[in-house]
Amino acid sequence: LVETVPRGICEAMCPARELRDREAQNRLHRFEMLAGTEKSRRPRGDPLRAVKEYSRPAAGKDSTNPSDLRPPAVLLKTVCYLIDDIAASLIASKIYGFVFDRVRAVKQDMIIQRLSGLDCVAILERTVRFFIYSSYHLCGEPLQLYDPCINDTHLQENLSWLFECYATETEPHPNQEEFQALGLLYNLGSTQATQHIMGLPERLRSTPAVKLALSINRAFLERNPVRLLRLAQGLNFLQCCALHRHLLTCRRDLLLIFSHGHSSRNCRFPLDRLAQLLSLDTALTAQLCQDYGVKVNQESQVVFSKAAFTEPEQGKLYCKLYHNIVAEKQRDLTVGSIIHGCA
């Protein structure tokens, strides 16, 4: 028997039946309410702003009804709406929750229809950028508002699907260099990510973004934090967002190596030079040294000692404090331009 794959015919971002049900059950998000009805006992849904929500597959529930599924062009339009009209007002954690859920529903529609092709790639590319940007922008937010582990799981799934599309489709994909580099920077040190890159055609491996990502990955594997942080200066903003979760480990390694290499009663290391190597200002460098038990004297000199180096208590070190290498690169980039890839 030939299995027929359902094809969506819903031309709205939210199927009419779902909108009616959620209206009746008072389950509309504030972004979906018809202007002027927000404060009424039962707000009405705006068909132009309501977006299909994610629902878990359940026994006896038909998720393949074509009138509840959106075709590829509508799914892409939905993702663009979420980026331009919702996420563009900066991804505050409450906005993230809404966009995350609706993007998950888009992916669900894509899976049911077994989508592939250019629209599928365009959706996945924007989704991956959204998750990478969120991993940086919402770093340190309370767990009930943003869970980095859940964000990571969905990012990895979408990245894996995107790479599959690149590998199996014959159409040219102009953004492939960007995403191959982002995947490696995000998964720095991963054997699987490194093997994936080494299996790419030479023309891709030799592109500037992938070559730089490979050099940074090599510095990470060789535990050469000075080289890694120097190479990171050449990354663009989104690449820095992908790398950012490894920066604290990298800086910790630098302090540990220097605590062993410069451990001497008479050795003094200039704080401003250490700040340069760490890509931090002197105040944050002094703070980081303090967190790791490294002494900074009154003459702004660092006194390294392998006996004094200690790991900070779990939860004491805030990654967000040390974001400057990434923040400096954002400048006047808008969320929309970052996620659409116009940055």
Side-chain angles (χ1 to χ4, degrees):
L1 281 170
V2 179
E3 190 184 356
T4 56
V5 177
R7 286 284 168 253
I9 58 168
C10 174
E11 291 298 322
M13 294 191 294
C14 181
R17 183 170 58 176
E18 182 191 311
L19 184 56
R20 279 196 309 272
D21 289 348
R22 287 205 283 128
E23 213 173 49
Q25 295 159 8
N26 228 355
R27 287 195 305 107
L28 292 171
H29 193 281
R30 63 188 172 92
F31 296 136
E32 302 175 309
M33 293 173 187
L34 196 63
T37 71
E38 298 95 338
K39 292 180 181 174
S40 62
R41 197 170 58 85
R42 188 162 288 165
R44 288 176 54 209
D46 185 341
L48 297 177
R49 295 169 66 215
V51 184
K52 183 179 180 179
E53 68 177 3
Y54 175 77
S55 65
R56 294 185 180 281
K61 183 178 162 191
D62 181 18
S63 56
T64 63
N65 186 337
S67 60
D68 292 336
L69 294 171
R70 296 158 293 178
V74 177
L75 291 171
L76 180 56
K77 183 186 105 175
T78 302
V79 169
C80 291
Y81 165 77
L82 291 169
I83 295 165
D84 298 328
D85 291 59
I86 309 294
S89 50
L90 283 175
I91 303 182
S93 42
K94 286 178 184 173
I95 292 172
Y96 169 85
F98 177 77
V99 177
F100 173 84
D101 178 86
R102 297 330 191 241
V103 161
R104 201 175 172 194
V106 165
K107 186 183 170 194
Q108 194 175 41
D109 276 15
M110 291 166 72
I111 291 168
I112 292 168
Q113 298 175 82
R114 298 185 193 171
L115 291 192
S116 59
L118 294 177
D119 280 340
C120 179
V121 167
I123 291 165
L124 290 170
E125 287 178 344
R126 283 162 176 79
T127 306
V128 168
R129 288 194 197 103
F130 166 74
F131 286 130
I132 288 176
Y133 177 67
S134 300
S135 73
Y136 155 73
H137 186 70
L138 297 176
C139 176
E141 287 287 325
L143 265 183
Q144 66 269 28
L145 297 176
Y146 167 75
D147 187 327
C149 293
I150 293 174
N151 192 78
D152 172 66
T153 300
H154 286 271
L155 199 167
Q156 301 284 18
E157 284 175 3
N158 282 278
L159 198 57
S160 177
W161 189 0
L162 180 60
F163 288 165
E164 206 178 295
C165 290
Y166 288 155
T168 56
E169 292 171 15
T170 52
E171 301 103 323
H173 296 292
N175 299 324
Q176 188 174 177
E177 174 192 352
E178 174 196 348
F179 284 93
Q180 298 292 0
L182 285 173
L184 185 57
L185 291 167
Y186 185 79
N187 291 303
L188 220 53
S190 152
T191 308
Q192 190 181 351
T194 308
Q195 285 174 343
H196 168 77
I197 289 285
M198 298 318 290
L200 293 175
E202 170 62 26
R203 61 176 178 78
L204 261 176
R205 284 203 317 274
S206 59
T207 54
V210 175
K211 273 172 80 174
L212 180 55
L214 276 166
S215 298
I216 289 172
N217 187 54
R218 184 173 177 180
F220 184 85
L221 291 168
E222 291 172 351
R223 288 192 71 185
N224 186 341
V226 173
R227 178 169 160 76
L228 191 155
L229 288 164
R230 190 174 71 246
L231 289 168
Q233 300 292 341
L235 298 173
N236 66 28
F237 173 66
L238 196 65
Q239 290 169 336
C240 278
C241 289
L243 178 74
H244 111 273
R245 67 186 188 142
H246 305 286
L247 290 174
L248 217 46
T249 306
C250 181
R251 286 165 172 150
R252 175 246 176 223
D253 283 354
L254 192 150
L255 290 180
L256 178 63
I257 291 163
F258 277 39
S259 291
H260 283 255
H262 297 283
S263 184
S264 164
R265 200 173 298 168
N266 302 317
C267 181
R268 301 288 181 271
F269 198 94
L271 180 67
D272 57 353
R273 175 65 186 136
L274 182 62
Q276 251 181 343
L277 294 173
L278 289 167
S279 295
L280 292 171
D281 62 32
T282 50
L284 280 174
T285 301
Q287 172 72 52
L288 194 67
C289 286
Q290 187 185 330
D291 288 337
Y292 282 99
V294 178
K295 186 184 170 189
V296 178
N297 66 21
Q298 290 184 322
E299 285 81 49
S300 292
Q301 295 167 324
V302 185
V303 185
F304 286 111
S305 158
K306 59 183 174 188
F309 184 91
T310 52
E311 299 288 354
E313 293 169 38
Q314 198 167 12
K316 192 190 170 204
L317 209 55
Y318 297 108
C319 176
K320 200 164 189 170
L321 272 180
Y322 303 98
H323 274 181
N324 65 317
I325 192 172
V326 192
E328 284 162 7
K329 290 180 183 280
Q330 183 163 4
R331 297 190 197 94
D332 53 356
L333 294 175
T334 63
V335 175
S337 67
I338 293 160
I339 300 175
H340 280 305
C342 313

